[in-house]
Amino acid sequence: MTNTDHMPPLAEPVSPREIPDAAIAMLDAEGTVVGWTHAAEQLVGYSAGEVVGRSAAHVLPPAGDAPSASAFAQQCRAQDGWSGTVTVRHRDGHAIKMTLRISRLWGQDAGTRWLVSVTDIGTLSSGASNGAVRESLLAHAPIGIAVYDPQLRCTWVNDVMERHDGTPPERRFGRRLRDSLPAVEAEALEVVMRQVLESGTTTVHEYRAWSSTDRRREHAFSAAFFCLLDADGTAMAVCSMSVDVTGNRRARERLAILSEASTRIGSTLEVMRTGQELADLAVPLLADHAVVDLMESVPFGVDPSAGTGKANGRPPVLRRAGVASIHPGVLKLPWVRQEVIRPFPTSLFATALRTGRSYLESVLDTYSGPWALHDPVSTQKLRDSGVHSLMVVPIRARRCVLGLAVFGRSEEATPFQEDDLLLAEELVTRAALSLDNALQYARQRTAALTLQRDLLPHHVGGGAALDVASRYVPADMDHGVGGDWFDVIKLSGARVALVVGDVVGHGINAAATMGRLRTAVRTLADMELPPHELLAHLDDTVRRLSEEDADAPDQLPAAVGATCLYAVYDPVTRRCTMARAGHPPPAIIDPQGQITFPDMPPGAPLGLGLGLVPFESVELELPEGTLLALYTDGLVESRDDDIDVGLDRLGAALAESGPSLEDLCSQVIDTLPTQSPADDVTLLLARTRGLEPAQVASWELPNEPTTVRIARQAAARQLSEWGLEHLVATVQLIVSELVTNAIRYGGGPIRLRLIHHQFLTCEVSDSNTSHPRPRHPHIIDEKGRGLFLVAHLSRRWGSRSATDGKVVWAEQDLPSKAVAV
């Protein structure tokens, strides 16, 4: 049995699909662009007229971490070219990650020019990237380059062309292909070049020639032809790039394996799964056996440091992530998934982890010394398995070694060669990218989840007005943490505000935006605004955040938008006022178990600039014991079901009578179709309570000076009935100041109300809509100290708008035994 017996179908013969339409530019010795292609314009946005005649460093400025243009040019001259991965800026400013190859060309008078070939890594699909993969596989193979003028005479050439067809440069300059190739081949190629000059499109053609290094047989070459444009956009030359593909079958086998890798490795963001996918792909396409070991911290989402294993001289601990063998169900080797591995300190496995270099042992005739495993028993089992050839490839990402991939052959008699190691490194590189993506996602998700949990309330309480419970379930690994938030805010007069919101998007940005909006809602709630006014101010806040992000020059603008439901419940009147901004309506379950979703204006989502459409509040009377359920759309929406199905499921779960709110929250979450939802799920339950009439005392007072004395006396009597005699003096002072201000600055009748709940609240209402503001009186001023006195005597104080004026209030702490429940 050979490895090729398990190969996927081979690729078709060389076609235009096999070689990418790479962006080509030709530079003179000083780095000035002298030739450009249509593909280059499409890639970086600059036309030939904008580029030709200008410095390549000016037209294509590299990213900030790249060397300077002069240093880079000096490096290219010293190495006779350069290849690698770079990042440049598109004409519109966004960054593009590219594979880049720079080759030196020689002219007739010993002049020098440079040919630059780049391909956008990010836009290559699995099919269109075949050419790029081939170039990667043949990175060590020579690529011949020649440039021909419109009359098809050779003007520039690199050193490799002579090795391809045996024609030295001096016999090539100024001449056509018929002087270096057989007439039939030359004529066919010139037809292709004329078509390229006329159409400007890239074309691939195969031809045959005798290599100068092997004159005994013909060699097959595959050449890609590109049209170079001058400053006027006119075809000025045609460039050919050719590769010896005589051994193309083996290269195509590698290509087929890498095509498989693009679909089979990295299917999830789970690191252990990715390790197993790498092992499964390698067997039997490349090896008879494969194991993948990861640094012990990697499966837990922790990035190992670049210096792992160097601090104390001992190799790091690994965890086995992938195991595969050609023996189905009977693994002969001592390799068990999830096993903890400790490489022998002097083994090549430990050395590969330390150096980050790959190692190949084509013929493995000893299992001692550098090839020893972590213990003699395992070494003996490996010897008994018949493995005779091994490759060890470190898994590297961003200068960090994440682990090792080990490949072995036992049944396949052919030992591993250098091209097998090259293919293994390609496979491992792809797996490393997937592992690194998983690690980065895990870190970002952990940071976002930590941030969100820190920003969400750790404990919610509804005071004397509500019993509350909540649940938050983050989205699954594929979708990430979102921007859900909820809050319970105690307001004056024993009232409580309930808030549930959902920020557009996922990840740490959504979590951070959620924190900003939650803070904004709390600030606006302290202003005692009605729900519709609070949402209007919050809408302005979201739009300002969006505008600020759009103005930031160093980052892409993030999509900012949110939905929100804000409700205020008053246990004195047992009425709830609520408004929503594009958010699902609450579910209301009355004491008899009847569920309704109130018909209330939906409002526009926050941040869409629809401020001309006002938000509207609705007011509902809720009997004591009514259950309110506020939630985000992740609880009721899914890809597979209509939202009505989710609402029915929620209603059925909430109709369960008897359980505590905490148990009811758990029951609702358990009804989710999946325990890994595609969107965050937030649920806030609140069961209403009402204050007894005996806990509230109010008086209608005339607007005249004698009212102050009447109010003081009424407050003192009520406090005595409640057993709060120790607060009489303090409350009388507060009542005096607030009633005096109402008489002096207000109009119409005055209302005094005392509420005995978790605190003692004193409220004074008048018909003036202007809110009081503390003054800063001078030492000799006789007035202006009333509010300072109120603030000093109260735990907190404030004012809020009312239907016919305003309410000024102040709260007093109560001893624990005097708290009314």
Side-chain angles (χ1 to χ4, degrees):
M1 181 185 300
T2 64
N3 282 346
T4 55
D5 293 332
H6 303 277
M7 288 296 300
L10 296 180
E12 295 296 325
V14 175
S15 69
R17 295 190 303 273
E18 279 194 283
I19 294 184
D21 194 10
I24 301 293
M26 191 161 70
L27 316 179
D28 63 14
E30 285 71 37
T32 301
V33 179
V34 295
W36 197 246
T37 62
H38 289 299
E41 178 180 353
Q42 294 173 0
L43 181 61
V44 296
Y46 292 97
S47 66
E50 296 173 297
V51 173
V52 176
R54 304 183 67 184
S55 170
H58 178 74
V59 175
L60 300 176
D65 57 349
S68 65
S70 58
F72 186 67
Q74 184 176 357
Q75 179 182 354
C76 290
R77 294 188 187 98
Q79 300 177 357
D80 206 30
W82 188 85
S83 64
T85 302
V86 297
T87 301
V88 301
R89 295 288 178 188
H90 189 274
R91 190 176 189 272
D92 63 13
H94 75 270
I96 309 173
K97 190 175 182 181
M98 301 177 174
T99 59
L100 179 144
R101 184 167 189 149
I102 301 177
S103 305
R104 188 199 294 264
L105 304 180
W106 301 100
Q108 187 167 6
D109 299 324
T112 300
R113 286 196 176 177
W114 301 92
L115 193 81
V116 181
S117 170
V118 293
T119 304
D120 184 358
I121 296 175
T123 59
L124 288 175
S125 65
S126 60
S129 63
N130 287 348
V133 171
R134 164 188 266 177
E135 183 176 343
S136 178
L137 281 173
L138 302 177
H140 301 292
I143 296 180
I145 302 173
V147 178
Y148 303 88
D149 64 16
Q151 289 72 43
L152 306 185
R153 296 171 300 196
C154 181
T155 55
W156 300 92
V157 68
N158 72 343
D159 295 333
V160 176
M161 285 301 297
E162 181 176 0
R163 301 203 295 272
H164 277 189
D165 57 19
T167 304
E170 58 271 14
R171 286 183 48 199
R172 196 185 299 268
F173 292 132
R175 299 183 182 183
R176 295 170 59 169
L177 285 172
R178 65 184 63 152
D179 297 316
S180 57
L181 292 177
V184 175
E185 297 286 359
E187 183 177 353
L189 289 177
E190 289 189 351
V191 169
V192 172
M193 289 194 288
R194 290 191 186 95
Q195 293 174 347
V196 170
L197 286 171
E198 293 173 1
S199 65
T201 59
T202 300
T203 303
V204 178
H205 188 78
E206 278 197 0
Y207 67 95
R208 295 182 178 276
W210 281 266
S211 169
S212 62
T213 58
D214 184 6
R215 306 297 296 182
R216 294 173 297 176
R217 61 178 179 138
E218 279 187 325
H219 282 240
F221 295 90
S222 177
F225 294 89
F226 307 88
C227 180
L228 294 175
L229 307 176
D230 60 16
D232 298 328
T234 305
M236 58 167 284
V238 59
C239 170
S240 74
M241 300 178 68
S242 57
V243 179
D244 188 339
V245 293
T246 306
N248 202 32
R249 183 177 185 275
R250 188 163 179 80
R252 289 181 185 175
E253 291 174 354
R254 269 53 183 167
L255 186 61
I257 294 176
L258 291 179
S259 296
E260 287 278 293
S262 64
T263 58
R264 291 175 54 183
I265 297 179
S267 61
T268 68
L269 288 171
E270 202 277 311
V271 293
M272 297 295 280
R273 172 85 174 266
T274 301
Q276 185 60 48
E277 289 171 345
L278 172 60
D280 289 339
L281 177 66
V283 176
L285 299 183
L286 174 64
D288 296 332
H289 315 282
V291 294
V292 178
D293 297 335
L294 300 177
M295 295 290 191
E296 191 175 33
S297 62
V298 172
F300 301 100
V302 179
D303 196 0
S305 65
T308 300
K310 297 180 181 180
N312 51 21
R314 293 179 300 189
V317 176
L318 304 174
R319 187 172 294 273
R320 189 132 291 162
V323 179
S325 172
I326 60 172
H327 306 290
V330 183
L331 194 63
K332 294 182 177 179
L333 302 182
W335 298 335
V336 181
R337 198 162 182 258
Q338 298 282 355
E339 179 186 1
V340 174
I341 308 299
R342 291 177 172 83
F344 200 68
T346 58
S347 69
L348 279 182
F349 306 102
T351 303
L353 287 172
R354 186 175 62 254
T355 64
R357 292 174 50 198
S358 301
Y359 292 92
L360 166 66
E361 186 74 1
S362 294
V363 180
L364 183 63
D365 54 5
T366 177
Y367 293 90
S368 59
W371 289 103
L373 297 182
H374 59 284
D375 62 81
V377 175
S378 298
T379 301
Q380 182 61 43
K381 288 183 178 180
L382 181 61
R383 181 184 293 110
D384 296 340
S385 70
V387 172
H388 60 81
S389 188
L390 271 181
M391 295 186 296
V392 179
V393 181
I395 305 172
R396 295 176 53 87
R398 293 182 297 108
R399 300 182 181 180
C400 227
V401 177
L402 304 181
L404 285 178
V406 181
F407 307 96
R409 280 181 177 172
S410 58
E411 302 296 327
E412 166 60 49
T414 305
F416 289 124
Q417 304 298 326
E418 287 292 338
D419 57 347
D420 294 308
L421 182 61
L422 178 62
L423 174 60
E425 289 175 337
E426 288 279 355
L427 292 175
V428 170
T429 297
R430 293 189 175 217
L433 290 174
S434 298
L435 288 169
D436 189 52
N437 288 338
L439 276 174
Q440 291 190 55
Y441 174 78
R443 286 194 298 271
Q444 185 182 45
R445 186 176 189 273
T446 300
L449 187 58
T450 302
L451 175 62
Q452 189 172 44
R453 292 196 182 279
D454 285 345
L455 292 174
L456 290 175
H458 294 183
H459 172 73
V460 290
L466 299 168
D467 293 324
V468 295
S470 63
R471 286 292 184 278
Y472 167 70
V473 180
D476 62 23
M477 288 290 290
D478 291 334
H479 295 83
V481 178
D484 283 12
W485 92 91
F486 66 93
D487 214 341
V488 180
I489 307 171
K490 295 179 181 178
L491 304 176
S492 63
R495 298 170 308 129
V496 175
L498 301 173
V499 191
V500 169
D502 186 0
V503 174
V504 170
H506 294 85
I508 197 166
N509 290 334
T513 301
M514 173 274 291
R516 297 161 83 178
L517 295 188
R518 178 173 178 250
T519 301
V521 170
R522 279 195 159 263
T523 301
L524 294 170
D526 286 342
M527 297 170 63
E528 304 274 4
L529 297 173
H532 63 280
E533 291 187 21
L534 182 142
L535 291 181
H537 284 285
L538 190 62
D539 183 46
D540 292 336
T541 299
V542 174
R543 283 191 284 117
R544 283 198 301 272
L545 291 176
S546 180
E547 291 169 358
E548 290 172 3
D549 291 340
D551 292 340
D554 57 342
Q555 64 183 18
L556 295 175
V560 177
T563 64
C564 183
L565 173 65
Y566 183 80
V568 176
Y569 174 69
D570 187 343
V572 177
T573 64
R574 294 178 172 83
R575 300 190 72 83
C576 181
T577 307
M578 61 184 73
R580 61 185 179 129
H583 202 83
I588 300 178
I589 302 90
D590 64 21
Q592 289 73 43
Q594 184 68 32
I595 183 168
T596 59
F597 294 91
D599 184 14
M600 52 188 299
L606 304 171
L608 298 186
L610 302 179
L612 295 178
V613 181
F615 300 103
E616 298 181 48
S617 294
V618 297
E619 190 174 70
L620 304 173
E621 186 170 352
L622 303 179
E624 185 171 1
T626 298
L627 180 64
L628 274 169
L630 282 65
Y631 53 90
T632 54
D633 55 7
L635 184 65
V636 295
E637 291 184 359
S638 68
R639 300 191 202 95
D640 302 325
D641 297 321
D642 187 77
I643 187 173
D644 291 337
V645 176
L647 292 175
D648 291 341
R649 184 180 68 248
L650 172 62
L654 292 175
E656 297 288 335
S657 59
S660 67
L661 290 187
E662 289 292 339
D663 292 339
L664 190 55
C665 275
S666 299
Q667 286 183 198
V668 173
I669 297 302
D670 289 342
T671 65
L672 289 172
T674 173
Q675 295 305 306
S676 298
D679 195 5
D680 283 13
V681 173
T682 297
L683 175 65
L684 177 62
L685 297 183
R687 182 169 284 132
T688 63
R689 295 192 289 184
L691 296 184
E692 297 295 332
Q695 293 178 252
V696 182
S698 61
W699 299 269
E700 296 288 339
L701 304 172
N703 192 340
E704 54 188 40
T706 59
T707 294
V708 176
R709 177 176 55 82
I710 298 172
R712 288 167 56 90
Q713 292 173 350
R717 286 194 302 271
Q718 187 61 54
L719 291 179
S720 297
E721 290 182 17
W722 285 338
L724 302 176
E725 292 84 355
H726 66 286
L727 291 178
V728 168
T730 300
V731 172
Q732 282 187 323
L733 282 173
I734 293 174
V735 168
S736 295
E737 294 298 335
L738 296 184
V739 172
T740 298
N741 282 346
I743 294 172
R744 180 175 299 164
Y745 303 109
I750 298 170
R751 186 169 182 243
L752 170 65
R753 184 167 75 162
L754 298 179
I755 305 173
H756 182 206
H757 54 112
Q758 289 185 321
F759 310 101
L760 176 67
T761 301
C762 173
E763 297 180 346
V764 175
S765 308
D766 62 62
S767 59
N768 191 337
T769 57
S770 298
H771 290 255
R773 290 184 300 174
R775 294 172 53 190
H776 298 278
H778 296 289
I779 297 176
I780 61 175
D781 289 347
E782 297 180 1
K783 299 180 180 180
R785 293 182 172 83
L787 292 180
F788 280 102
L789 180 62
V790 171
H792 179 71
L793 296 175
S794 307
R795 67 180 299 272
R796 64 175 190 149
W797 76 279
S799 64
R800 66 177 184 269
S801 297
T803 305
D804 53 356
K806 70 173 181 296
V807 177
V808 184
W809 54 269
E811 290 181 350
Q812 295 290 310
D813 285 316
L814 297 177
S816 57
K817 64 180 180 180
V819 174
V821 181

